[in-house]
Amino acid sequence: MYEGNGAERRSGGASPSDRMVPPGAERESAALIERLAEVPAGAELASLVEGLLAGMLVPTNSDDEAADSAAGEAAADARAADAVGAAELAGLLGIPDTGELFNTITSPADRILAQTSAQQGVDWGQGTGLDRLAALGGQVLSELVAACHRLVSWASWCESAAAACLARTPEMNRGAAPWGPGGRPECLVTEEERRFTTGGEIACRLGTTRQGACRILDRGEALLQPEFAATEALHRAGLLDAGKTALVVRRLEGTGAEVSRAVQERVLPRASRRTTSQLAKDIDRALAALDPDGAGNRRKRNLARRHVTRPRQAGEGVHEMRLLLPSLDAFLLDATLDAIAASARAAGDERSPAQLRADAITGMTLRTLQGSQYAACRLPFTVPGSASTSGGAPVSTGAQLLPDGVPLAGLLAGLSSLVEPGRPWWTPPG
């Protein structure tokens, strides 16, 4: 199905008679679709996918060792011709030489992996493996995409399981240096310390954030618990991706084992064909029906997680932040931003509603800060026992001032009052 030399790839393609569908092509496509859909995620599926996608790649150099047999020599000549054609096409398309780039990779192991991968490259010529792969048809390629997605989920399961096992190693559970009598190390590692150490090790090795590494670790440790056996099996089979698996684990955290199993029995049968948001709603409905008495505890636990992330660079000149708020607060903030944006648009402002909402939340924050500064300057903050000698408003000669002259104590009092539970219009979440 995927044979062909470099000359055929660089030609204008096969003749119309060659492009006719063979009599058994439909049966072959149906068999291929069935196999892609039914092979479990793992080495066998990876081998099948690799075989299908291998037609897209050609050698990027002609330094391969020649085979001893005549067939091997012919294959080496074909590979050399492919490499020459790929090099000529890369020059025409302006594709940079990856060899020079990969030689500068600092890590020896990473450099070897990159150089090995660079020995092959995508053939962009006319009538190449890309076109032959597309000729398989939409149904085959749709199943191929699904098979690749299952492989990603399976690899995510492997990653999580390996991270959970890493947390159990002696290196991650070794306490402080032995200071006691006899030099015996004491086991002083708490669960949080072990999570911190393991997350740091994973983050350093993967080049990711500690928060992301801890998410991998938490997912792996949860999947090794008996109550998540069904979710673990589906994740390992590739039917639940990492996002859906993490959602199930997070939503069922803190619930009893019986409730957790009952919820999974209700939502998992069709979870593979549900979006992440749909699955989240399914889990919430199942929890409300199967464990109504635990709604209060789940609400308090979720409300305790409310936060606003620190700014994270999202491009030149922009940063992004994420808000996790109680439901009523989120709807109130959304309605307020909508009202501000709609008012500005009605007044003739040409900014988009999204831009106005972003500018509105910044404007509200700055106006609050400016108002607190103004109020702090007007309030009579005096040092106890001192009196004003100018006959005007009391002065704060002994008070600590900010560089702009605003009394620090007054500003702190004004800003902290924004979240003071005693204010009549402020309702503490939960």
Side-chain angles (χ1 to χ4, degrees), residues 41-330:
E44 184 179 357
L45 182 60
S47 177
L48 176 59
V49 171
E50 183 183 22
L52 291 172
L53 297 179
M56 297 170 50
L57 303 176
V58 294
T60 56
N61 59 74
S62 56
D63 298 333
D64 299 328
E65 296 181 359
D68 295 334
S69 62
E73 294 177 359
D77 293 339
R79 288 196 301 270
D82 286 346
V84 173
E88 294 175 352
L89 187 59
L92 293 175
L93 296 178
I95 301 170
D97 184 10
T98 57
E100 297 182 0
L101 172 63
F102 294 158
N103 287 334
T104 62
I105 296 178
T106 56
S107 171
D110 293 348
R111 183 168 60 250
I112 293 175
L113 290 174
Q115 290 173 344
T116 302
S117 178
Q119 293 177 3
Q120 288 185 318
V122 177
D123 190 359
W124 291 274
Q126 183 74 17
T128 62
L130 292 173
D131 297 328
R132 290 198 302 277
L133 192 63
L136 293 177
Q139 290 183 323
V140 174
L141 292 182
S142 177
E143 287 299 330
L144 179 59
V145 171
C148 294
H149 189 72
R150 297 206 310 276
L151 281 177
V152 172
S153 302
W154 174 75
S156 176
W157 172 84
C158 296
E159 179 186 53
S160 301
C165 293
L166 173 64
R168 301 187 178 195
T169 59
E171 294 86 348
M172 299 297 113
N173 292 273
R174 190 169 294 155
W179 297 103
R184 293 182 303 172
E186 300 291 338
C187 184
L188 302 175
V189 177
T190 65
E191 184 68 24
E192 190 62 27
E193 289 173 338
R194 182 174 66 89
R195 182 175 182 270
F196 183 85
T197 305
T198 308
E201 171 66 23
I202 297 173
C204 292
R205 184 60 185 89
L206 300 185
T208 185
T209 63
R210 188 186 298 273
Q211 183 179 8
C214 287
R215 283 197 294 265
I216 297 174
L217 175 60
D218 293 342
R219 185 172 68 247
E221 291 188 330
L223 292 178
L224 297 183
Q225 302 301 318
E227 58 266 27
F228 287 106
T231 300
E232 182 272 332
L234 291 181
H235 187 38
R236 178 162 36 88
L239 298 178
L240 288 181
D241 59 23
K244 292 180 181 179
T245 303
L247 174 66
V248 174
V249 171
R250 186 171 60 251
R251 283 289 203 271
L252 298 181
E253 181 183 0
T255 61
E258 294 296 330
V259 174
S260 178
R261 283 192 287 266
V263 171
Q264 292 176 81
E265 290 175 359
R266 178 170 294 193
V267 303
L268 290 183
R270 58 174 186 164
S272 60
R273 301 303 174 95
R274 304 283 281 175
T275 65
T276 303
S277 60
Q278 289 173 338
L279 179 59
K281 294 177 181 177
D282 292 343
I283 296 174
D284 291 340
R285 283 194 292 263
L287 281 172
L290 297 172
D291 186 27
D293 296 335
N297 292 332
R298 291 193 299 270
R299 177 184 175 87
K300 291 180 180 179
R301 183 177 67 247
N302 293 335
L303 291 177
R305 294 172 176 169
R306 63 188 183 276
H307 66 275
V308 179
T309 62
R310 295 288 183 178
R312 184 176 63 180
Q313 189 169 2
E316 189 170 351
V318 292
H319 280 69
E320 65 179 5
M321 300 173 65
R322 180 176 177 270
L323 292 80
L324 180 64
L325 302 175
S327 299
L328 294 180
D329 294 350

Side-chain angles (χ1 to χ4, degrees), residues 329-339 357:
D329 294 350
F331 287 126
L332 176 61
L333 178 61
D334 180 68
T336 303
L337 297 179
D338 269 351
R357 284 167 59 91

